[in-house]
Coordinates of all heavy atoms in Angstrom, one line a residue:
M3 N 18.8 3.9 19.9 CA 18.3 3.4 18.7 C 17.5 4.4 17.9 O 16.7 5.2 18.4 CB 17.3 2.2 19.0 CG 17.0 1.4 17.8 SD 16.3 -0.2 18.4 CE 14.7 -0.1 17.6
V4 N 17.8 4.5 16.6 CA 17.2 5.5 15.8 C 15.8 5.0 15.3 O 15.7 3.9 14.8 CB 18.1 5.8 14.5 CG1 17.4 6.8 13.6 CG2 19.4 6.3 15.0
R5 N 14.8 5.8 15.5 CA 13.5 5.5 15.0 C 13.4 5.7 13.5 O 13.9 6.6 13.0 CB 12.4 6.4 15.7 CG 12.2 6.0 17.2 CD 11.0 6.6 17.8 NE 9.9 6.4 16.9 CZ 8.7 6.8 17.1 NH1 8.4 7.5 18.2 NH2 7.7 6.6 16.3
E6 N 12.7 4.7 12.9 CA 12.6 4.8 11.5 C 11.6 5.9 11.1 O 10.6 6.1 11.7 CB 12.0 3.4 11.0 CG 12.0 3.4 9.5 CD 11.5 2.0 9.0 OE1 11.1 1.2 9.8 OE2 11.4 1.9 7.8
Q7 N 12.0 6.7 10.1 CA 11.2 7.8 9.6 C 9.9 7.3 8.9 O 9.9 6.3 8.2 CB 11.9 8.6 8.5 CG 13.0 9.5 9.0 CD 12.4 10.6 9.9 OE1 12.6 10.6 11.1 NE2 11.7 11.5 9.2
K8 N 8.8 8.0 9.2 CA 7.6 7.6 8.5 C 7.7 8.3 7.1 O 8.3 9.4 7.0 CB 6.4 8.2 9.3 CG 6.1 7.4 10.5 CD 4.7 7.5 10.9 CE 4.4 6.5 12.0 NZ 3.1 5.9 12.0
I9 N 7.1 7.6 6.2 CA 7.0 8.2 4.8 C 5.6 8.3 4.4 O 4.7 7.6 4.9 CB 7.8 7.3 3.8 CG1 7.2 5.8 3.9 CG2 9.3 7.3 4.1 CD1 7.8 4.9 2.8
R10 N 5.3 9.3 3.6 CA 4.0 9.6 3.1 C 3.8 9.1 1.7 O 4.6 9.5 0.9 CB 3.7 11.1 3.2 CG 2.3 11.5 3.1 CD 2.2 13.0 3.6 NE 0.8 13.4 3.6 CZ 0.0 13.1 4.6 NH1 0.4 12.5 5.7 NH2 -1.3 13.5 4.5
V11 N 2.8 8.2 1.5 CA 2.6 7.7 0.2 C 1.1 8.0 -0.2 O 0.3 8.2 0.6 CB 2.9 6.1 0.1 CG1 4.3 5.8 0.4 CG2 2.0 5.3 1.0
K12 N 0.9 8.0 -1.5 CA -0.4 8.2 -2.0 C -0.9 6.8 -2.5 O -0.2 6.1 -3.2 CB -0.4 9.2 -3.2 CG -1.8 9.4 -3.7 CD -2.0 10.6 -4.6 CE -1.2 10.7 -5.8 NZ -1.7 11.8 -6.7
V13 N -2.1 6.5 -2.1 CA -2.8 5.2 -2.5 C -3.9 5.7 -3.4 O -4.7 6.5 -3.1 CB -3.4 4.5 -1.3 CG1 -4.1 3.2 -1.7 CG2 -2.3 4.1 -0.3
E14 N -3.9 5.1 -4.7 CA -4.9 5.5 -5.6 C -5.5 4.4 -6.4 O -4.8 3.4 -6.7 CB -4.4 6.6 -6.6 CG -3.3 6.2 -7.5 CD -2.8 7.3 -8.4 OE1 -2.9 8.5 -8.0 OE2 -2.4 7.0 -9.6
S15 N -6.7 4.5 -6.7 CA -7.5 3.6 -7.5 C -8.0 4.4 -8.7 O -7.8 5.6 -8.7 CB -8.7 3.0 -6.8 OG -9.7 3.9 -6.7
P16 N -8.6 3.8 -9.7 CA -9.1 4.6 -10.8 C -10.1 5.7 -10.4 O -10.3 6.6 -11.1 CB -9.7 3.6 -11.7 CG -9.0 2.3 -11.4 CD -8.7 2.4 -9.9
T17 N -10.8 5.5 -9.3 CA -11.8 6.4 -8.9 C -11.6 7.2 -7.6 O -12.4 8.1 -7.3 CB -13.2 5.7 -8.7 OG1 -12.9 4.7 -7.7 CG2 -13.6 5.0 -10.0
S18 N -10.5 6.9 -6.9 CA -10.3 7.6 -5.6 C -8.8 7.6 -5.2 O -8.0 6.8 -5.8 CB -11.1 6.8 -4.5 OG -11.1 7.6 -3.3
E19 N -8.5 8.4 -4.2 CA -7.1 8.4 -3.7 C -7.1 8.9 -2.3 O -8.0 9.6 -1.9 CB -6.2 9.2 -4.6 CG -6.5 10.6 -4.6 CD -5.6 11.4 -5.6 OE1 -5.4 11.0 -6.7 OE2 -5.0 12.4 -5.1
F20 N -6.1 8.6 -1.5 CA -5.8 9.1 -0.2 C -4.4 9.0 0.1 O -3.6 8.3 -0.5 CB -6.7 8.4 0.9 CG -6.4 7.0 1.1 CD1 -5.5 6.7 2.2 CD2 -7.0 6.0 0.4 CE1 -5.2 5.3 2.4 CE2 -6.7 4.7 0.7 CZ -5.8 4.3 1.7
Q21 N -3.9 9.8 1.1 CA -2.5 9.8 1.6 C -2.5 9.0 2.9 O -3.4 9.1 3.7 CB -2.1 11.2 1.8 CG -2.1 12.1 0.6 CD -0.8 12.3 -0.1 OE1 0.2 12.1 0.5 NE2 -0.9 12.6 -1.4
V22 N -1.4 8.3 3.1 CA -1.2 7.6 4.3 C 0.3 7.6 4.7 O 1.2 7.7 3.9 CB -1.7 6.1 4.2 CG1 -0.9 5.4 3.2 CG2 -1.7 5.4 5.5
E23 N 0.5 7.6 6.0 CA 1.9 7.5 6.5 C 2.2 6.1 6.9 O 1.5 5.5 7.7 CB 2.1 8.5 7.7 CG 2.2 9.9 7.3 CD 2.6 10.8 8.5 OE1 2.6 10.4 9.7 OE2 3.0 12.0 8.2
V24 N 3.4 5.6 6.4 CA 3.8 4.2 6.7 C 5.3 4.3 7.0 O 5.9 5.3 6.8 CB 3.5 3.3 5.6 CG1 2.0 3.1 5.4 CG2 4.1 3.8 4.3
K25 N 5.9 3.1 7.3 CA 7.3 3.0 7.4 C 7.8 2.0 6.3 O 7.0 1.1 6.0 CB 7.7 2.5 8.8 CG 7.5 3.5 9.9 CD 8.0 3.1 11.2 CE 7.2 1.9 11.7 NZ 6.7 2.0 13.0
G26 N 9.0 2.1 5.8 CA 9.5 1.2 4.8 C 9.5 -0.3 5.3 O 9.4 -1.2 4.5
S27 N 9.6 -0.4 6.7 CA 9.7 -1.8 7.2 C 8.3 -2.4 7.4 O 8.2 -3.5 7.7 CB 10.4 -1.7 8.6 OG 9.7 -0.9 9.5
D28 N 7.2 -1.6 7.2 CA 5.9 -2.1 7.3 C 5.7 -3.1 6.2 O 6.2 -3.0 5.1 CB 4.8 -1.0 7.1 CG 4.7 -0.1 8.4 OD1 5.3 -0.5 9.4 OD2 4.1 1.0 8.3
K29 N 4.9 -4.1 6.5 CA 4.5 -5.1 5.5 C 3.5 -4.6 4.5 O 2.6 -3.7 4.9 CB 4.0 -6.4 6.1 CG 5.0 -7.0 7.1 CD 5.9 -8.0 6.3 CE 6.7 -8.8 7.3 NZ 8.0 -9.3 6.7
V30 N 3.4 -5.1 3.3 CA 2.4 -4.8 2.4 C 1.0 -5.1 3.0 O 0.1 -4.3 2.8 CB 2.6 -5.5 1.0 CG1 1.4 -5.3 0.1 CG2 3.9 -5.1 0.4
K31 N 0.9 -6.2 3.8 CA -0.4 -6.6 4.4 C -0.9 -5.5 5.4 O -2.1 -5.3 5.5 CB -0.3 -7.9 5.0 CG 0.6 -8.1 6.1 CD 0.6 -9.6 6.6 CE 1.8 -9.8 7.5 NZ 2.0 -11.3 7.7
D32 N 0.1 -4.8 6.0 CA -0.3 -3.7 6.9 C -1.0 -2.5 6.1 O -2.0 -2.0 6.5 CB 0.9 -3.1 7.6 CG 1.6 -4.2 8.5 OD1 0.8 -5.0 9.1 OD2 2.8 -4.2 8.7
L33 N -0.4 -2.3 4.9 CA -1.0 -1.2 4.1 C -2.4 -1.7 3.5 O -3.3 -0.9 3.5 CB -0.1 -0.9 2.9 CG -0.5 0.2 1.9 CD1 -0.9 1.5 2.7 CD2 0.5 0.4 0.9
I34 N -2.5 -3.0 3.2 CA -3.8 -3.5 2.8 C -4.8 -3.3 3.8 O -6.0 -3.0 3.5 CB -3.6 -5.0 2.4 CG1 -2.8 -5.1 1.1 CG2 -5.0 -5.7 2.2 CD1 -2.5 -6.5 0.7
K35 N -4.5 -3.5 5.1 CA -5.5 -3.3 6.2 C -6.0 -1.9 6.2 O -7.2 -1.6 6.4 CB -4.8 -3.7 7.5 CG -4.7 -5.1 7.8 CD -4.0 -5.3 9.2 CE -3.6 -6.7 9.4 NZ -2.7 -6.9 10.5
I36 N -5.1 -0.9 6.0 CA -5.5 0.5 6.0 C -6.4 0.7 4.8 O -7.4 1.4 4.9 CB -4.2 1.4 5.9 CG1 -3.4 1.2 7.2 CG2 -4.6 2.8 5.6 CD1 -2.0 1.8 7.1
V37 N -6.0 0.2 3.6 CA -6.9 0.4 2.4 C -8.3 -0.2 2.7 O -9.3 0.4 2.3 CB -6.2 -0.2 1.2 CG1 -7.1 -0.1 0.0 CG2 -4.9 0.5 0.9
K38 N -8.3 -1.4 3.3 CA -9.6 -2.0 3.6 C -10.5 -1.1 4.5 O -11.7 -1.0 4.2 CB -9.4 -3.4 4.3 CG -9.1 -4.5 3.4 CD -9.1 -5.8 4.2 CE -8.5 -6.9 3.4 NZ -8.3 -8.2 4.1
K39 N -9.9 -0.5 5.5 CA -10.6 0.4 6.4 C -11.2 1.6 5.6 O -12.3 2.0 5.8 CB -9.7 0.9 7.5 CG -9.6 0.0 8.6 CD -8.8 0.7 9.8 CE -8.4 -0.3 10.8 NZ -7.3 0.1 11.6
V40 N -10.4 2.1 4.6 CA -10.8 3.3 3.9 C -11.9 2.9 2.8 O -12.9 3.6 2.7 CB -9.6 4.0 3.3 CG1 -10.1 5.2 2.4 CG2 -8.7 4.5 4.4
W41 N -11.6 1.9 2.1 CA -12.5 1.5 0.9 C -13.4 0.3 1.2 O -14.2 0.1 0.3 CB -11.6 1.3 -0.3 CG -11.0 2.6 -0.8 CD1 -11.6 3.9 -0.7 CD2 -9.9 2.8 -1.6 NE1 -10.8 4.8 -1.3 CE2 -9.7 4.2 -1.9 CE3 -8.9 1.9 -2.2 CZ2 -8.7 4.7 -2.7 CZ3 -7.9 2.5 -2.9 CH2 -7.8 3.8 -3.1
G42 N -13.1 -0.4 2.2 CA -14.1 -1.5 2.6 C -14.1 -2.7 1.7 O -15.1 -3.4 1.6
S43 N -13.0 -2.9 0.9 CA -13.0 -4.1 0.0 C -12.0 -5.1 0.5 O -10.9 -4.8 1.0 CB -12.6 -3.7 -1.4 OG -12.6 -4.9 -2.2
D44 N -12.3 -6.4 0.5 CA -11.4 -7.5 0.9 C -10.5 -7.9 -0.2 O -9.5 -8.5 0.0 CB -12.2 -8.7 1.4 CG -12.7 -8.5 2.8 OD1 -12.0 -7.8 3.6 OD2 -13.7 -9.1 3.1
Y45 N -10.9 -7.6 -1.5 CA -10.1 -8.2 -2.6 C -9.5 -7.0 -3.4 O -10.1 -6.2 -4.0 CB -11.1 -9.0 -3.5 CG -11.8 -10.0 -2.8 CD1 -13.2 -9.9 -2.6 CD2 -11.2 -11.1 -2.2 CE1 -13.9 -10.9 -1.9 CE2 -11.9 -12.1 -1.5 CZ -13.2 -11.9 -1.4 OH -14.0 -12.9 -0.7
M46 N -8.1 -7.0 -3.3 CA -7.4 -6.0 -4.0 C -6.0 -6.4 -4.4 O -5.5 -7.4 -3.8 CB -7.4 -4.7 -3.1 CG -6.6 -4.9 -1.9 SD -6.7 -3.4 -0.8 CE -8.3 -3.7 -0.1
L47 N -5.5 -5.7 -5.3 CA -4.1 -5.9 -5.8 C -3.4 -4.6 -5.7 O -3.9 -3.6 -6.2 CB -4.2 -6.4 -7.2 CG -2.9 -6.7 -7.9 CD1 -2.1 -7.8 -7.2 CD2 -3.1 -7.0 -9.4
L48 N -2.2 -4.6 -5.0 CA -1.4 -3.3 -4.9 C -0.2 -3.4 -5.9 O 0.4 -4.5 -6.0 CB -0.9 -3.1 -3.5 CG -1.9 -2.4 -2.5 CD1 -3.2 -3.1 -2.4 CD2 -1.2 -2.3 -1.2
R49 N 0.1 -2.3 -6.5 CA 1.2 -2.3 -7.4 C 2.0 -1.0 -7.1 O 1.4 0.1 -6.8 CB 0.8 -2.2 -8.9 CG 0.3 -3.5 -9.4 CD 0.2 -3.4 -10.9 NE -0.2 -4.7 -11.5 CZ -1.5 -5.0 -11.7 NH1 -2.4 -4.1 -11.4 NH2 -1.8 -6.2 -12.2
H50 N 3.4 -1.1 -7.2 CA 4.2 0.1 -7.1 C 5.2 0.0 -8.3 O 5.8 -1.0 -8.5 CB 5.0 0.1 -5.8 CG 5.9 1.3 -5.7 ND1 7.3 1.2 -5.7 CD2 5.7 2.6 -5.5 CE1 7.8 2.4 -5.6 NE2 6.8 3.2 -5.4
N51 N 5.2 1.0 -9.1 CA 6.0 1.0 -10.3 C 5.7 -0.2 -11.2 O 6.6 -0.9 -11.7 CB 7.5 1.1 -10.0 CG 7.9 2.4 -9.4 OD1 7.3 3.4 -9.7 ND2 9.0 2.4 -8.7
S52 N 4.4 -0.5 -11.3 CA 3.9 -1.6 -12.1 C 4.3 -3.0 -11.6 O 4.0 -4.0 -12.3 CB 4.3 -1.5 -13.6 OG 3.9 -0.2 -14.1
V53 N 4.8 -3.1 -10.4 CA 5.2 -4.4 -9.9 C 4.2 -4.8 -8.9 O 3.9 -4.0 -7.9 CB 6.6 -4.3 -9.2 CG1 6.9 -5.6 -8.5 CG2 7.7 -3.9 -10.2
E54 N 3.6 -6.0 -9.0 CA 2.6 -6.5 -8.1 C 3.3 -6.7 -6.7 O 4.3 -7.4 -6.6 CB 2.0 -7.8 -8.6 CG 0.9 -8.3 -7.8 CD 0.3 -9.6 -8.5 OE1 0.2 -9.7 -9.7 OE2 0.0 -10.5 -7.7
M55 N 2.6 -6.2 -5.7 CA 3.2 -6.3 -4.3 C 2.6 -7.5 -3.6 O 1.4 -7.7 -3.5 CB 2.9 -5.0 -3.6 CG 3.5 -3.8 -4.3 SD 3.0 -2.3 -3.5 CE 4.1 -2.2 -2.1
K56 N 3.5 -8.3 -3.0 CA 3.1 -9.5 -2.2 C 2.9 -9.1 -0.8 O 3.7 -8.4 -0.2 CB 4.2 -10.6 -2.3 CG 4.5 -11.0 -3.7 CD 3.6 -12.1 -4.2 CE 4.0 -12.6 -5.6 NZ 3.1 -12.3 -6.7
S57 N 1.9 -9.6 -0.1 CA 1.5 -9.1 1.2 C 2.5 -9.4 2.3 O 2.6 -8.7 3.3 CB 0.1 -9.7 1.6 OG 0.2 -11.1 1.7
D58 N 3.3 -10.4 2.1 CA 4.3 -10.8 3.2 C 5.6 -10.0 3.1 O 6.5 -10.2 3.8 CB 4.5 -12.3 3.2 CG 5.1 -12.8 1.9 OD1 5.0 -12.2 0.9 OD2 5.7 -13.9 2.0
Q59 N 5.8 -9.1 2.1 CA 7.0 -8.4 1.9 C 6.9 -7.0 2.5 O 5.9 -6.5 2.7 CB 7.3 -8.2 0.4 CG 7.5 -9.5 -0.4 CD 8.8 -10.1 -0.1 OE1 9.8 -9.5 0.1 NE2 8.8 -11.5 0.1
N60 N 8.1 -6.5 2.9 CA 8.2 -5.1 3.4 C 7.9 -4.1 2.2 O 8.3 -4.4 1.1 CB 9.6 -4.8 4.0 CG 9.8 -5.5 5.3 OD1 8.9 -6.1 5.8 ND2 11.0 -5.5 5.7
L61 N 7.4 -3.0 2.5 CA 7.2 -1.9 1.5 C 8.5 -1.5 0.9 O 8.6 -1.3 -0.3 CB 6.5 -0.7 2.1 CG 5.1 -0.9 2.6 CD1 4.6 0.3 3.4 CD2 4.2 -1.3 1.5
S62 N 9.6 -1.5 1.7 CA 10.9 -1.1 1.2 C 11.5 -2.1 0.1 O 12.2 -1.7 -0.7 CB 11.9 -1.0 2.3 OG 12.0 -2.3 3.0
T63 N 11.0 -3.3 0.2 CA 11.4 -4.3 -0.9 C 11.0 -3.8 -2.3 O 11.7 -4.1 -3.2 CB 10.6 -5.7 -0.6 OG1 11.0 -6.1 0.7 CG2 11.0 -6.7 -1.6
Y64 N 9.9 -3.0 -2.3 CA 9.5 -2.5 -3.6 C 9.9 -1.1 -3.9 O 9.5 -0.5 -4.8 CB 7.9 -2.6 -3.7 CG 7.5 -4.0 -3.6 CD1 7.0 -4.6 -2.4 CD2 7.5 -4.9 -4.7 CE1 6.6 -5.9 -2.3 CE2 7.1 -6.2 -4.6 CZ 6.7 -6.7 -3.4 OH 6.3 -8.0 -3.3
G65 N 10.8 -0.6 -3.1 CA 11.4 0.7 -3.3 C 10.4 1.8 -2.9 O 10.5 3.0 -3.4
V66 N 9.4 1.5 -2.0 CA 8.5 2.6 -1.6 C 9.2 3.6 -0.7 O 9.9 3.2 0.2 CB 7.3 1.9 -0.9 CG1 6.3 3.0 -0.3 CG2 6.5 1.0 -1.8
K67 N 9.0 4.9 -1.1 CA 9.7 5.9 -0.3 C 8.7 7.1 -0.3 O 7.6 7.1 -0.8 CB 11.0 6.3 -0.9 CG 11.0 6.7 -2.4 CD 12.4 6.9 -2.9 CE 12.4 7.5 -4.3 NZ 11.8 6.8 -5.3
D68 N 9.1 8.1 0.4 CA 8.3 9.3 0.6 C 7.8 9.8 -0.8 O 8.7 10.0 -1.7 CB 9.1 10.4 1.4 CG 8.1 11.4 2.0 OD1 7.2 11.0 2.7 OD2 8.4 12.6 1.9
G69 N 6.5 10.0 -0.9 CA 6.0 10.5 -2.2 C 5.6 9.4 -3.2 O 5.2 9.7 -4.3
S70 N 5.9 8.2 -2.9 CA 5.5 7.1 -3.8 C 4.0 7.0 -4.0 O 3.3 7.4 -3.1 CB 6.0 5.7 -3.2 OG 7.4 5.6 -3.3
I71 N 3.7 6.4 -5.1 CA 2.3 6.2 -5.4 C 2.0 4.7 -5.5 O 2.7 4.0 -6.3 CB 1.9 6.9 -6.8 CG1 2.0 8.4 -6.6 CG2 0.4 6.5 -7.1 CD1 1.9 9.1 -8.0
I72 N 1.1 4.2 -4.7 CA 0.7 2.8 -4.7 C -0.6 2.8 -5.5 O -1.6 3.4 -5.1 CB 0.5 2.3 -3.3 CG1 1.7 2.5 -2.4 CG2 0.1 0.8 -3.4 CD1 3.0 1.8 -2.8
R73 N -0.7 2.0 -6.5 CA -1.9 1.9 -7.3 C -2.7 0.6 -6.9 O -2.1 -0.4 -6.7 CB -1.6 1.8 -8.8 CG -0.9 3.0 -9.3 CD -0.9 3.1 -10.8 NE 0.1 4.1 -11.3 CZ -0.1 5.4 -11.2 NH1 -1.2 5.9 -10.7 NH2 0.8 6.3 -11.6
V74 N -4.0 0.8 -6.7 CA -4.8 -0.3 -6.1 C -5.8 -0.7 -7.2 O -6.5 0.2 -7.7 CB -5.5 0.1 -4.8 CG1 -6.4 -1.0 -4.3 CG2 -4.5 0.5 -3.8
T75 N -5.9 -2.0 -7.4 CA -7.0 -2.5 -8.2 C -7.9 -3.3 -7.3 O -7.5 -4.2 -6.5 CB -6.5 -3.5 -9.3 OG1 -5.5 -2.9 -10.1 CG2 -7.6 -4.0 -10.2
V76 N -9.2 -2.8 -7.2 CA -10.1 -3.5 -6.3 C -11.1 -4.4 -7.1 O -11.5 -4.0 -8.1 CB -11.0 -2.4 -5.5 CG1 -12.0 -3.0 -4.6 CG2 -10.1 -1.4 -4.7
F77 N -11.3 -5.6 -6.5 CA -12.1 -6.6 -7.2 C -13.4 -6.7 -6.4 O -13.4 -6.6 -5.1 CB -11.5 -7.9 -7.2 CG -10.1 -7.9 -8.0 CD1 -9.0 -7.8 -7.3 CD2 -10.1 -7.9 -9.3 CE1 -7.7 -7.8 -7.9 CE2 -8.9 -7.8 -10.0 CZ -7.7 -7.8 -9.3
A78 N -14.5 -7.0 -7.0 CA -15.8 -7.2 -6.4 C -15.8 -8.5 -5.6 O -16.5 -8.7 -4.6 CB -17.0 -7.1 -7.4
E79 N -15.1 -9.5 -6.1 CA -15.0 -10.8 -5.5 C -13.6 -11.3 -5.7 O -12.8 -10.7 -6.4 CB -16.0 -11.7 -6.1 CG -16.0 -11.8 -7.6 CD -17.2 -12.6 -8.1 OE1 -18.3 -12.3 -7.7 OE2 -17.0 -13.4 -9.0
A80 N -13.3 -12.4 -5.1 CA -11.9 -13.0 -5.2 C -11.5 -13.2 -6.6 O -12.3 -13.8 -7.4 CB -11.8 -14.3 -4.4
P81 N -10.3 -12.8 -7.0 CA -9.9 -12.9 -8.4 C -9.6 -14.4 -8.7 O -9.4 -15.2 -7.9 CB -8.6 -12.1 -8.5 CG -8.2 -11.8 -7.1 CD -9.4 -12.0 -6.2

């Protein structure tokens, strides 16, 4: 069985950014967990190519690939 390649994506907000390795088959909620660890916020919205990402979808559903940029909007409280 062929192992799925990890891809490197940039996660950025208006004030900060970091790089993370994920797989296309990873769920958006898995990426949200990583962002929570780094930035410590429970309330956020992720977008790829201006499309709002739903937490139960795979990253590949949104065309996330190596070098993609995920934009994060962080909220102080539940939107």
Side-chain angles (χ1 to χ4, degrees):
M3 191 164 121
V4 178
R5 286 194 48 183
E6 186 178 4
Q7 281 296 110
K8 289 208 171 211
I9 54 175
R10 195 164 182 84
V11 298
K12 180 162 61 165
V13 177
E14 66 178 30
S15 75
T17 58
S18 188
E19 66 181 49
F20 67 93
Q21 301 261 334
V22 65
E23 284 190 346
V24 293
K25 294 186 290 231
S27 61
D28 286 349
K29 299 271 189 206
V30 173
K31 64 183 164 195
D32 298 326
L33 181 55
I34 289 172
K35 283 181 194 167
I36 294 168
V37 175
K38 275 185 192 177
K39 276 187 192 160
V40 175
W41 288 335
S43 177
D44 280 330
Y45 307 111
M46 66 188 77
L47 176 66
L48 273 57
R49 287 193 178 92
H50 180 251
N51 292 334
S52 300
V53 176
E54 188 176 319
M55 302 170 79
K56 306 274 186 243
S57 64
D58 61 340
Q59 296 291 319
N60 289 351
L61 295 173
S62 59
T63 302
Y64 297 99
V66 174
K67 58 187 186 296
D68 202 49
S70 287
I71 298 172
I72 307 294
R73 299 194 194 283
V74 179
T75 305
V76 177
F77 303 100
E79 53 192 46

